[in-house]
Amino acid sequence: MIMANPPYSVKRWNQQKWMNDPYGRNIWGTPPQGCADYAFQQHIIKSLKPDTGRCVVLWPHGVLFRDAESEIRKKMIEADLVDAVIGLGKNCGSVSTTSNHIRANQNTKTNPGEFKTEIAE
């Protein structure tokens, strides 16, 4: 089980090195230079145990909607790894005053294809 709160929208990261990642963590594609969020997400997913791995990650809402990452999101959903997205209102976390969400992922779902969305006020 991995619980993570990666830094949000890292602007300065080695995108070129990620494209040729020797550890195979680039499973869905390369995020844009200005937002490394999905590099962190892919690293976390790749670090899970293949049969029992689970994670929960705190993210800003923007990672759900940014156009530049739409293909990465699509591939993650098609891989059936997203178990739930829990929306948090503003100031519902110690990291930021913006709205955030918790994304829960697991490698082996009890009910494949099932996805849950919750909104917390």
Side-chain angles (χ1 to χ4, degrees), residues 18-19 21 23-31 38-48 71-76 79 81 105 107:
W18 181 259
M19 288 180 190
D21 181 57
Y23 303 103
R25 296 171 293 191
N26 186 353
I27 51 181
W28 302 313
T30 302
Y38 278 98
F40 286 109
Q41 182 71 51
Q42 291 176 89
H43 172 86
I44 292 165
I45 294 292
K46 189 69 175 179
S47 300
L48 298 175
E71 282 302 310
I72 296 173
R73 280 193 308 276
K74 180 179 176 184
K75 290 175 184 176
M76 183 175 61
L81 296 176
N105 302 84
N107 282 343

Side-chain angles (χ1 to χ4, degrees), residues 2-40:
I2 295 174
M3 297 172 66
N5 183 6
Y8 292 172
S9 302
V10 172
K11 308 253 183 281
R12 295 176 60 200
W13 63 289
N14 195 334
Q15 184 189 43
Q16 191 64 36
K17 191 170 183 178
W18 181 259
M19 288 180 190
N20 303 303
D21 181 57
Y23 303 103
R25 296 171 293 191
N26 186 353
I27 51 181
W28 302 313
T30 302
Q33 180 60 46
C35 298
D37 302 313
Y38 278 98
F40 286 109

Side-chain angles (χ1 to χ4, degrees), residues 50-92:
D51 54 345
T52 60
R54 296 177 295 156
C55 69
V56 291
V57 185
L58 182 66
W59 289 117
H61 273 308
V63 302
L64 296 172
F65 308 107
R66 291 189 295 241
D67 288 339
E69 299 154 322
S70 63
E71 282 302 310
I72 296 173
R73 280 193 308 276
K74 180 179 176 184
K75 290 175 184 176
M76 183 175 61
I77 291 167
E78 287 173 348
D80 199 23
L81 296 176
V82 180
D83 198 42
V85 174
I86 303 166
L88 304 174
K90 289 184 178 183
N91 301 316
C92 281

